[in-house]
Amino acid sequence: MSCLDEIKTMTLKLLKKIFSNSLNEYYSKEEINTLFHILIEFYLGINKINYIQDPLYIISKKNISLIESKIKMIQKKIPIQYIIGEVEHKNIKFKVNKYVLIPRPETIELCDWIIFNQKNKCKILDIGTGSGLIALILKKYITGSIVHAWDKSPLILKIAKENALKNNIEINFKIVDILKNVKVNDKFDIIVSNPPYVDKSEMQFIDESIVKYEPHSAIFVEGNDNLIFYKKIIQYSKDALNSNGTLYLECHIDRINFVKNILKINNFKNIKIKEDLFGRKRMIKACI
Ligand SMILES: C[S@@+](CC[C@H](N)C(=O)[O-])C[C@H]1O[C@@H](n2cnc3c(N)ncnc32)[C@H](O)[C@@H]1O
């Protein structure tokens, strides 16, 4: 794309061709197509229909340079969500940056499962809220719910608070390190968490862009007990759930049966495992 310095303007169609050529050694044709349309919609306000209707639309030099700078970021494998700085799920816009995990489809499925099961107003706690994904979705879609959301760092909660404010969703945020001995001052009907669950020894199997750009404290477990978050959350939930309260956890596919056993040992009842859209056992719920 360095030749673009000499170019004053070009058509949308040519921009797409240059975009594809710059990225074809890094991504598949479909991925490049998706990335192109996300970028031109976000930065230039040109959606797919506009593109189809007017491929000869002229792009200014300023906008060519803008897209060129984004291509360089994509070549470095920076996730598109961090490049544009936001994602949208269930009609909620989430700001995302290097401090918070990029929302994953299976976590939205976990939210949908809770929303499906919970028809009455209730009090909810989201442990390890990150961008605020789970907390904001549940507050928006479970009418009358009161939602608390915890994370361990102020930098992370700052993003979650911005997201709540921007979407006009009321959440009670608090800095809490769940691995410390947290006192039970409040009771909840639902506790939910998508905690860190990847062992540091598994880093070699994780996609390069995740390891390089997403926050390790959201993904990897320190120390040699990769179930530590589950043990702490289950222990805490035993005391912090109201009677008939429900704990929902997102899990690593290889560890969900271990989590099930920890729940059983702690006398949780009605334990149910749910598969995600790809048929992977990724979610578990249990009642106290
Ligand atoms: C896998 S991310 C989930 C983020 C968000 N809930 C989601 O599903 O997209 C795990 C979150 O747990 C938080 N976390 C890590 N260690 C923690 C701790 N000791 N206490 C509380 N939260 C912690 C991380 O900062 C991160 O936001």
Side-chain angles (χ1 to χ4, degrees):
M1 282 290 273
S2 52
C3 60
L4 286 178
D5 286 348
E6 291 119 51
I7 294 173
K8 289 206 168 56
T9 59
M10 68 170 73
T11 64
L12 198 49
K13 195 173 166 191
L14 181 57
L15 180 68
K16 186 170 188 182
K17 193 165 178 220
I18 293 173
F19 185 88
S20 303
N21 290 343
S22 313
L23 293 172
N24 62 16
E25 67 178 277
Y26 306 90
Y27 294 97
S28 70
K29 227 174 156 182
E30 291 72 31
E31 285 170 326
I32 292 172
N33 192 42
T34 305
L35 289 167
F36 179 75
H37 285 288
I38 291 174
L39 283 184
I40 62 161
E41 176 149 13
F42 187 81
Y43 290 107
L44 312 184
I46 299 169
N47 64 28
K48 266 191 182 166
I49 296 170
N50 301 147
Y51 179 85
I52 292 162
Q53 283 173 340
D54 194 4
L56 300 181
Y57 179 82
I58 297 293
I59 307 293
S60 68
K61 179 163 175 59
K62 187 171 143 249
N63 284 336
I64 294 169
S65 305
L66 180 69
I67 299 297
E68 184 181 19
S69 70
K70 305 303 165 192
I71 290 175
K72 286 181 182 147
M73 294 167 99
I74 297 171
Q75 284 171 332
K76 287 185 193 157
K77 298 257 174 176
I78 300 177
I80 187 73
Q81 296 90 337
Y82 288 152
I83 295 174
I84 66 176
E86 79 171 33
V87 291
E88 187 170 344
H89 291 289
K90 295 185 79 71
N91 293 318
I92 305 173
K93 280 192 176 149
F94 296 90
K95 170 182 170 174
V96 288
N97 65 16
K98 62 181 180 178
Y99 298 115
V100 298
L101 191 83
I102 296 167
R104 300 296 201 270
E106 51 271 22
T107 313
I108 317 293
E109 287 188 54
L110 173 68
C111 293
D112 286 336
W113 194 25
I114 302 172
I115 295 163
F116 181 81
N117 291 331
Q118 188 64 37
K119 302 288 178 228
N120 306 322
K121 61 181 182 182
C122 58
K123 196 163 164 189
I124 301 170
L125 170 64
D126 171 24
I127 300 176
T129 197
S131 61
L133 178 78
I134 299 174
L136 268 69
I137 290 179
L138 296 184
K139 174 69 186 174
K140 183 168 171 136
Y141 290 96
I142 301 178
T143 311
S145 57
I146 295 168
V147 180
H148 292 246
W150 296 351
D151 213 293
K152 67 169 185 181
S153 122
L155 278 172
I156 299 164
L157 274 193
K158 188 172 169 274
I159 309 295
K161 279 180 189 167
E162 271 181 48
N163 285 333
L165 202 69
K166 194 166 67 176
N167 290 285
N168 201 17
I169 294 176
E170 200 188 324
I171 307 285
N172 306 290
F173 290 107
K174 196 170 164 190
I175 297 168
V176 176
D177 183 341
I178 194 65
L179 296 184
K180 301 257 166 74
N181 287 324
V182 187
K183 278 206 184 102
V184 176
N185 295 323
D186 227 345
K187 291 269 193 176
F188 301 93
D189 304 301
I190 290 177
I191 297 181
V192 52
S193 186
N194 172 21
Y197 52 66
V198 183
D199 210 293
K200 283 228 159 134
S201 65
E202 294 164 328
M203 203 181 281
Q204 54 184 311
F205 307 114
I206 306 275
D207 192 84
E208 179 200 339
S209 74
I210 298 177
V211 175
K212 225 167 156 185
Y213 297 106
E214 297 207 55
H216 283 201
S217 64
I219 299 168
F220 298 105
V221 184
E222 293 291 338
N224 48 20
D225 183 0
N226 54 34
L227 294 169
I228 186 73
F229 280 94
Y230 294 98
K231 290 175 183 164
K232 289 280 183 184
I233 292 167
I234 290 170
Q235 194 63 43
Y236 182 79
S237 301
K238 254 169 88 168
D239 300 325
L241 276 171
N242 284 322
S243 57
N244 288 321
T246 312
L247 174 62
Y248 287 86
L249 297 165
E250 185 173 322
C251 296
H252 188 295
I253 183 172
D254 295 338
R255 310 212 229 291
I256 198 148
N257 284 324
F258 293 110
V259 174
K260 186 177 176 182
N261 279 338
I262 304 169
L263 286 162
K264 272 190 191 161
I265 293 164
N266 283 282
N267 297 319
F268 276 78
K269 302 175 299 249
N270 301 329
I271 304 171
K272 287 207 173 72
I273 288 177
K274 191 170 168 10
E275 293 179 353
D276 67 13
L277 281 176
F278 301 100
R280 301 172 305 188
K281 292 180 175 161
R282 294 296 309 275
M283 296 158 255
I284 190 162
K285 88 178 181 77
C287 298
I288 195 73

